[in-house]
Amino acid sequence: MRAAYAQTLSADDPLSGLVVGERPDPTPPEGWTRVAVKAASLNHHDLWTLKGVGIKAEQLPMILGCDAAGIDESTGEEVVVHAVINTPGWTGDDTLDPGRSLLSEKHQGSIAEYVIVPARNVVPKPKDLSFGEAACLSTAWLTAYRMLFTQAQLQPGQTVLVQGASGGVATAAIAMARAAGMRVYATARTEAKRAAAAELGAHDTFEPGARLPERVDAVIESVGEATWSHSLKSLKPGGKLVVCGATSGANPGADLNRVFFLQLQVLGSTMGTKAELTNMLSFLHTTGLRPLIDRTIALESVGEGIEAIASGDLVGKIVIEF
Ligand SMILES: NC(=O)c1ccc[n+]([C@@H]2O[C@H](COP(=O)([O-])OP(=O)(O)OC[C@H]3O[C@@H](n4cnc5c(N)ncnc54)[C@H](OP(=O)(O)O)[C@@H]3O)[C@@H](O)[C@H]2O)c1
């Protein structure tokens, strides 16, 4: 089968290790199923993989990709793949399993004609979502959903700041927060990205670090060092800073005085459960909300897509159609 995979790892020149070529057709072991992939999407995770973050050279070659939508060959159903792979027998919250991994970490990823996953790792694709739209959801969108509704527990009418508005997680957070009735503020580094955030549903947009008209109930943080201090400063007393990523660096100043004096809550968040994915698909189905797709590309152009992620030259998700 055709696939995009990491052949080597390089922190300085990540694209040098990317190959689009042939890999063996996978055969699902007992309890797993094979999905014929109709569409996959790129995440910052794929760039991290090529840089050697979260993967060792002895695991190579590793097919990239966490997200896919396609046909479950065991049932013939149209499905969305849930990318969190649990330890066999794990029964708690999918995301709290100490042995969990995402597709393309231990198990081969989704940017291929076929991907194999445990049979429980597929959920029905709503018919009104295209395969391309559905392929955007199981990493960036699911992460944003858990951050907003499970971790921050935001209620309609509350306020939220989304940092780094153009990213996959950030665009999802803006769109879902707006649809769920929150007042949404967003920051982005360029005027064009701020305009895109406003079109997506942000009530007001700002340059990174700008003073907001009011303090917010929660911040959705995936940028890290570049925005962390502003995130802390933007919260009301008792506010929640939910963090899922650290694209610009992982060690900002802690500003402990502010954290304890204002009784702020810093909450880590990773991906989401299968139940959250199912609820989110229903949320999109009932509201008509759809992921913002920056572009749709062919498998051969995966390198161009990853370059866009590395340079920040995108707004929303990049979809690969098979
Ligand atoms: N924990 C999890 O389960 C999980 C799940 C998904 C993603 N993540 C992590 O979350 C991060 C975002 O993922 P993604 O897929 O949404 O990435 P993405 O689509 O590539 O978005 C990158 C974002 O980073 C911002 N950014 C990068 N460098 C910046 C800087 N120096 N200053 C300000 N903003 C900067 C961009 O903001 P602008 O709009 O201003 O350009 C953009 O929002 C990644 O680190 C990823 O690994 C974690």
Side-chain angles (χ1 to χ4, degrees), residues 14 21 26 30 32 34 42 44 46 104 134 152 154 177 186 196 202 213 222 240 243 249 271 293 295 302 317:
E30 183 65 31
W32 287 50
R34 192 165 87 163
L42 291 175
H44 215 94
D46 302 308
S104 79
L154 279 162
S222 67
K240 294 170 183 162
V243 56
M271 301 294 283
I293 295 175
R295 70 192 87 166
V302 162
K317 296 285 294 170

Side-chain angles (χ1 to χ4, degrees), residues 44 48 143 164-169 189 193 222-223 226 244 247 269-271:
H44 215 94
W48 292 129
T143 300
S166 69
V169 173
R189 291 174 292 177
K193 288 179 171 188
S222 67
V223 179
C244 77
T247 310
S269 200
T270 282
M271 301 294 283

